[in-house]
Amino acid sequence: MKSDTTTINYARVFHLLREQGSSTRAQLARDTGLSPATITTITRDMIQRGYVREAGAASSNSGRPPIILEYNSRARYALGIDVHADGIFGVVTDLYARPLHSERLEPPRPEPEAMIEALGGWIERTLAAQQPQVCAAVGIAMSALVDQERGMVLSSPDFGLAHLPLAERLEERTGFLPALTNLTRAAALAERWLGAAGAADNMIYLRVGRTIGGAIIIDDQPYWGSGHAPSMAHLNVDPNGRSCRCGSRGCLDTVASGAAIVRRVQELIEGGRASSLIARVDGVLELITADLIQEEAAAGDTLAGEALQEAARWLGIGVATCINLLGPDMVVLGGTLGRGASELFLDTLRKTARARAEAAAVRDVRIVTTTLGEEGSAAGAAAMAIFDNLVHSIDLHLG
């Protein structure tokens, strides 16, 4: 995705119309500071592509009345697909990326052709079912390391994929070139479009699941970095800590992820600590999961509660670093552990972040949990595709 001036201007107009619902060209020029000629060029392209329509004249005290431009959210639809180890979740959305229909599929076999068949088959069936409506865009969010520009899955151990040109292969089969991203980026965009961060132009999304992931939105646009996306998992919070899979030591992922919490609980039990978790898994400590730890902590288990509080403090240190560096309006906690976070967990995280961050930077930052359910990443994939489709139109029409 480009980040030049034209793209930024286009994004500003698009997001204003999407959020306000309607406006006039003159008002858009005032709100964005762009010239009337630039506004006319951008909105003409949006009208041609079906995202915006002219909805009659506004009232005017004198002169020619301005034309109202309306974001045409039901003129077309988009498809969003969330691909992770537990299965495939597909949604049909309007142009706000609001889910209209959803469907869960079984995970495919861990091989490229099975993935193409599963995704391509669902896209084809859904396109046929939606006729005569027109599909504007298709987006895919995957638990993988991806190259968004080339639409390529670089690595996905869960599915046995490496250097798979997924977008190109699916375009050959379905006629649609999907926008490809990873789950965390899609979830962050869904929070901005549909969730807790609806009023936050600058936000940090932190996914806490088996591993930790993160994404950044700056001035209402996703920030992907240059060649390598920012990685919250590998913020260094304990220089003398445990070795990390990245080759460093003491990364946030080693102390605050679901896997780290499970490992910490297992170590404490093996060291002689009592816990109701032992009975839950019939003494087989390998069966302990982060979800079970949350359940037993909520039921009053001291050890489980201590492990979660320790993770909350580490997360607070990581969040403070992000706040100091980026100065966001909001930090949104997502993922399975984020969605299930207790008030005590959140209170500990917030207190730690505020104690560690520079006072002026953290004063007005809201730290909240996601308001979206399992459809979030799929809807985010649709949102990514909707905007990506517009960005491609810049190349085609605006130069």
Side-chain angles (χ1 to χ4, degrees):
M1 186 175 293
K2 289 187 175 183
S3 58
D4 58 19
T5 302
T6 302
T7 302
I8 293 170
N9 290 343
Y10 203 104
R12 291 166 67 191
V13 176
F14 169 70
H15 288 305
L16 272 174
L17 279 170
R18 180 179 61 81
E19 291 185 346
Q20 295 177 359
S22 64
S23 187
T24 65
R25 291 177 178 86
Q27 186 61 50
L28 287 170
R30 287 192 291 270
D31 289 342
T32 62
L34 299 175
S35 70
T38 299
I39 292 295
T40 296
T41 301
I42 291 173
T43 56
R44 180 172 61 238
D45 182 65
M46 290 181 177
I47 291 169
Q48 289 174 351
R49 301 182 70 80
Y51 287 81
V52 173
R53 66 180 178 183
E54 293 186 338
S59 59
S60 176
N61 293 327
S62 62
R64 183 177 179 181
I67 300 299
I68 297 172
L69 301 178
E70 186 176 82
Y71 187 63
N72 198 11
S73 66
R74 298 303 290 267
R76 301 184 183 186
Y77 67 92
L79 303 184
I81 309 172
D82 168 348
V83 184
H84 57 277
D86 296 330
I88 297 173
F89 194 84
V91 296
V92 179
T93 78
D94 65 11
L95 295 184
Y96 279 111
R98 295 177 298 204
L100 305 173
H101 169 75
S102 63
E103 184 177 353
R104 179 178 291 281
L105 306 175
E106 292 298 315
R109 298 186 309 278
E111 58 186 52
E113 294 309 315
M115 180 62 69
I116 299 297
E117 176 61 33
L119 297 181
W122 184 82
I123 292 170
E124 288 174 336
R125 292 193 303 274
T126 307
L127 290 173
Q130 296 297 315
Q131 290 182 349
Q133 287 185 294
V134 177
C135 181
V138 178
I140 299 172
M142 179 172 283
S143 176
L145 179 63
V146 303
D147 182 330
Q148 288 193 183
E149 290 291 338
R150 296 189 294 164
M152 178 174 287
V153 179
L154 300 178
S155 174
S156 179
D158 288 341
F159 296 106
L161 306 179
H163 299 285
L164 174 66
L166 182 62
E168 180 182 316
R169 292 288 307 278
L170 288 172
E171 183 184 27
E172 291 171 355
R173 171 161 178 165
T174 68
F176 273 86
L177 179 66
L180 177 65
T181 189
N182 72 22
L183 287 178
T184 303
R185 296 173 184 176
L189 196 59
E191 291 295 342
R192 178 66 184 92
W193 280 39
L194 304 169
D201 290 342
N202 301 284
M203 65 161 284
I204 296 167
Y205 176 80
L206 192 63
R207 176 186 55 77
V208 187
R210 182 174 57 86
T211 59
I212 286 177
I216 302 166
I217 290 179
I218 298 175
D219 291 337
D220 218 3
Q221 289 195 85
Y223 176 73
W224 303 142
S226 179
H228 186 274
S231 178
M232 310 297 184
H234 301 295
L235 288 172
N236 191 281
V237 294
D238 184 11
N240 299 315
R242 188 184 297 268
S243 295
C244 180
R245 55 193 165 90
C246 73
S248 186
R249 303 185 70 87
C251 295
L252 191 60
D253 205 49
T254 68
V255 290
S257 65
I261 295 168
V262 168
R263 183 175 58 242
R264 178 61 173 156
V265 165
Q266 291 169 337
E267 290 172 348
L268 290 172
I269 292 174
E270 289 168 350
R273 291 285 302 276
S275 172
S276 58
L277 283 160
I278 300 171
R280 285 289 303 269
V281 296
D282 294 325
V284 183
L285 301 189
E286 290 76 14
L287 297 180
I288 293 175
T289 65
D291 286 343
L292 284 179
I293 293 170
Q294 282 187 310
E295 289 175 14
E296 291 307 299
D301 183 72
T302 301
L303 183 146
E306 287 179 5
L308 287 171
Q309 289 301 97
E310 184 177 306
R313 285 189 286 274
W314 287 119
L315 281 170
I317 294 171
V319 167
T321 300
C322 293
I323 290 172
N324 283 337
L325 183 64
L326 298 170
D329 305 310
M330 182 177 289
V331 177
V332 181
L333 197 66
T336 52
L337 285 169
R339 284 196 297 270
S342 67
E343 280 303 314
L344 180 60
F345 184 97
L346 284 172
D347 187 56
T348 299
L349 191 161
R350 288 168 178 150
K351 285 181 177 177
T352 304
R354 291 194 167 95
R356 295 273 183 160
E358 196 271 325
V362 76
R363 182 176 55 243
D364 298 322
V365 179
R366 294 181 60 205
I367 301 173
V368 303
T369 56
T370 178
T371 59
L372 301 178
E374 63 179 356
E375 81 282 357
S377 293
M384 180 70 67
I386 291 165
F387 185 61
D388 193 56
N389 186 34
L390 286 171
V391 171
H392 282 304
S393 81
I394 295 170
D395 296 331
L396 293 172
H397 301 297
L398 304 184

